[in-house]
Amino acid sequence: MKLQSIAQQAKHSPAMVFNNVCHLIDREFLREAYHQTHKSSAPGMDQVTAQQYAENLDENLRELHERLRDNRYVAPPVERVWIEKEDGKKRPIGKPCFEDKIVQRAVVMILEAIFEPDFQAFSHGFRKGHSQHQALHELREQCRKLNITWRVDADVSGFFDTLDWGHLRAFIQQRVKDGGILRLIGKWLHAGVLEAGALSYPDKGTPQGGVVSPILANVFLHYVLDEWLVKEVQPRMQGRCVVTRFADDFILGFALEADAHRVMDVLPKRFHRFGLTIHPEKTVLRAFQRPPSRAPSARGKGTFDFLGCTHYWATTRRGYWVIKRKTVGKRLRRFMKGIWTWCRENRHAPLHEQYRALCAKLRGHYQYYGIRGNFKMLEAVFEYTERAWQYWLSRRSYKGHLNWQKFVDSVHRKLPLPKPRIIHHI
């Protein structure tokens, strides 16, 4: 109820500044934050899991509340690990301690109640009621209905690693000037990073993987990009200008090429003003126009990728031009490579364990990429997974080769992998 009241005040008073909200974080509030915190994530540097923390939950939350109330709470360093990206590079991911996640979640609940009414509808990243598939649908409808034929694919270089703390604090203070909230955010930014046993203290950026990082990123980009586009850029355009954003990934759309070039020229300057860099090579202007109806066999003018999907023009069976989407080639190859490697490394595991793991991997893939028009890509993944599984099962021993027919008779019929299906019809 308290959060709902704050959200209503923030919605009806856009200029209102909240300077007394930290008192909301009492034991019951922390309990709710605990329930909203994911329990399956890896533990942080203290190695305390969610299950271990829950064994004495009441006492842990009471003691945590006392430390927060007396301003004795110390944010622990974030353990950093690296995961591979599509281009072969690595992305840093932070692993906060579970108790720290609870406190971060409590602060996020307050910040969301205050800033959600301010956020633009085209901002879809890490917000309740928004998703990647809504962003993809919005993007497709813009091209189809609004005659958006020019796209600026923008790339912010190392956004989470280079986010400027001074500008971030100024943006937050436009709506929140509560000293307790600001101190907690400052503690997380200054907590340090533990990597391979070495502790370092960066002077900018926020670790990816932290609970509070998404809302901080949305607040930062709301003022740097979203508000700027709505209030300053769009009124100056000769034609339509739209944007779709998911966290730090965004695409600008224009009806006129001249408008696109104007924004392309000023976009790097806008981000540089706030300590960010627009990648000069990865930020490109693309034409995305429907091919002439008089030449239905002609290929579309360019494609573009967004959130793992390639958008392209194609014809229906009746000869109409439509915008279709398919899995980005790099994502598809990466998933297949991962399946091959997993089957090789786990070929000696019990058959039913392999089956359960492969089913989970395929269902997860279908859950994201099961969009209308992408069925052939899903079929390719399904068939590849079957072949990879059969190949490595046949090499479990030298006693007998498990050919395809034997695999079908002994494994496939008893343990059928989930077949591809379309989940998202929007």
Side-chain angles (χ1 to χ4, degrees):
M1 292 297 294
K2 296 178 181 178
L3 285 181
Q4 292 177 359
S5 175
I6 289 177
Q8 289 295 327
Q9 294 179 54
K11 182 177 180 180
H12 293 113
S13 303
M16 183 176 181
V17 179
F18 295 82
N19 54 22
N20 188 23
V21 290
C22 194
H23 72 278
L24 295 176
I25 306 179
D26 54 18
R27 289 171 63 181
E28 290 304 315
F29 200 87
L30 289 172
R31 184 179 297 275
E32 179 61 27
Y34 163 80
H35 289 304
Q36 293 191 22
T37 302
H38 293 294
K39 312 297 190 298
S40 58
S41 303
M45 60 173 291
D46 61 358
Q47 298 301 310
V48 176
T49 65
Q51 291 75 18
Q52 293 171 335
Y53 196 86
E55 292 175 359
N56 196 15
L57 182 61
D58 291 338
E59 180 62 24
N60 287 335
L61 293 181
R62 184 193 64 79
E63 198 269 339
L64 173 61
H65 175 245
E66 289 180 356
R67 280 183 284 142
L68 288 170
R69 183 190 60 196
D70 300 338
N71 197 25
R72 293 185 290 108
Y73 181 77
V74 178
V78 176
E79 184 179 358
R80 174 180 286 174
V81 296
W82 295 82
I83 61 173
E84 290 190 4
K85 297 172 61 176
E86 303 165 17
D87 54 6
K89 298 181 181 179
K90 292 187 176 182
R91 181 195 304 275
I93 296 293
K95 295 196 303 180
C97 298
F98 182 75
E99 185 178 70
D100 201 44
K101 292 180 184 178
I102 298 175
V103 184
Q104 290 189 31
R105 176 57 61 189
V107 172
V108 167
M109 290 162 60
I110 294 175
L111 293 180
E112 284 180 344
I114 296 172
F115 282 100
E116 269 294 324
D118 297 345
F119 290 157
Q120 299 293 333
F122 55 74
S123 171
H124 298 282
F126 310 110
R127 297 176 60 193
K128 295 179 181 178
H130 294 258
S131 68
Q132 294 100 320
H133 296 97
Q134 283 183 323
L136 292 169
H137 177 68
E138 178 181 273
L139 201 59
R140 182 175 181 271
E141 293 302 292
Q142 290 172 357
C143 297
R144 191 173 68 88
K145 295 182 178 180
L146 303 180
N147 194 33
I148 301 299
T149 56
W150 295 91
R151 291 280 170 187
V152 174
D153 298 348
D155 183 87
V156 183
S157 299
F159 171 74
F160 284 93
D161 297 327
T162 58
L163 187 146
D164 184 85
W165 294 347
H167 289 300
L168 174 63
R169 187 180 182 88
F171 292 149
I172 293 175
Q173 286 181 329
Q174 293 196 32
R175 290 291 258 164
V176 180
K177 285 191 176 180
D178 186 294
I181 298 294
L182 295 176
R183 278 194 299 271
L184 282 173
I185 295 175
K187 287 180 179 181
W188 291 318
L189 295 177
H190 292 85
V193 175
L194 181 66
E195 183 178 352
L199 185 61
S200 61
Y201 295 91
D203 59 356
K204 57 185 177 180
T206 175
Q208 297 186 58
V211 176
V212 76
S213 295
I215 185 67
L216 298 182
N218 276 336
V219 170
F220 198 95
L221 287 174
H222 170 75
Y223 290 104
V224 173
L225 179 67
D226 301 353
E227 265 202 348
W228 173 68
L229 285 170
V230 172
K231 295 182 178 180
E232 299 186 33
V233 175
Q234 289 179 338
R236 291 179 169 86
M237 297 291 99
Q238 299 298 315
R240 291 184 182 272
C241 169
V242 295
V243 60
T244 299
R245 182 172 70 81
F246 190 92
D248 59 327
D249 294 327
F250 64 94
I251 285 188
L252 305 174
F254 303 89
L256 302 178
E257 183 181 4
D259 287 341
H261 283 291
R262 289 175 61 191
V263 175
M264 278 278 288
D265 292 338
V266 73
L267 193 64
K269 301 175 185 177
R270 172 69 182 181
F271 275 74
H272 180 72
R273 175 182 170 187
F274 297 98
L276 298 174
T277 303
I278 294 292
H279 200 292
E281 297 178 359
K282 294 183 179 181
T283 302
V284 295
L285 175 63
R286 303 179 188 274
F288 189 71
Q289 302 168 344
R290 184 178 67 180
S293 58
R294 64 177 181 272
S297 60
R299 299 182 64 183
K301 291 186 177 180
T303 64
F304 67 89
D305 299 338
F306 187 60
L307 297 180
C309 294
T310 297
H311 296 67
Y312 64 101
W313 285 100
T315 54
T316 64
R317 294 179 179 178
R318 296 184 178 183
Y320 298 109
W321 284 105
V322 295
I323 299 173
K324 292 188 176 182
R325 295 159 298 182
K326 62 181 180 181
T327 310
V328 170
K330 290 182 179 180
R331 297 280 184 95
L332 185 67
R333 291 189 293 272
R334 184 177 66 178
F335 182 81
M336 289 180 172
K337 180 181 178 181
I339 288 290
W340 182 269
T341 302
W342 189 92
C343 289
R344 182 189 65 202
E345 295 176 349
N346 295 272
R347 63 186 182 272
H348 295 295
L351 192 61
H352 280 79
E353 290 185 11
Q354 294 188 46
Y355 172 70
R356 285 193 294 269
L358 290 174
C359 285
K361 291 178 183 294
L362 285 176
R363 290 194 185 101
H365 188 82
Y366 300 158
Q367 186 66 37
Y368 187 84
Y369 292 104
I371 56 179
R372 189 169 57 186
N374 196 36
F375 192 78
K376 288 185 178 180
M377 290 292 191
L378 300 184
E379 277 189 322
V381 165
F382 171 76
E383 293 171 0
Y384 183 88
T385 302
E386 282 196 322
R387 290 290 181 179
W389 197 22
Q390 178 266 328
Y391 179 88
W392 287 109
L393 283 180
S394 70
R395 279 149 180 79
R396 297 212 317 176
S397 69
Y398 297 100
K399 295 181 180 179
H401 185 73
L402 182 69
N403 60 29
W404 179 252
Q405 189 57 49
K406 290 182 179 179
F407 172 77
V408 171
D409 295 336
S410 62
V411 179
H412 183 270
R413 290 176 182 174
K414 297 179 181 178
L415 301 173
L417 293 174
K419 293 186 177 180
R421 64 191 185 99
I422 299 301
I423 296 176
H424 305 282
H425 294 276
I426 61 174

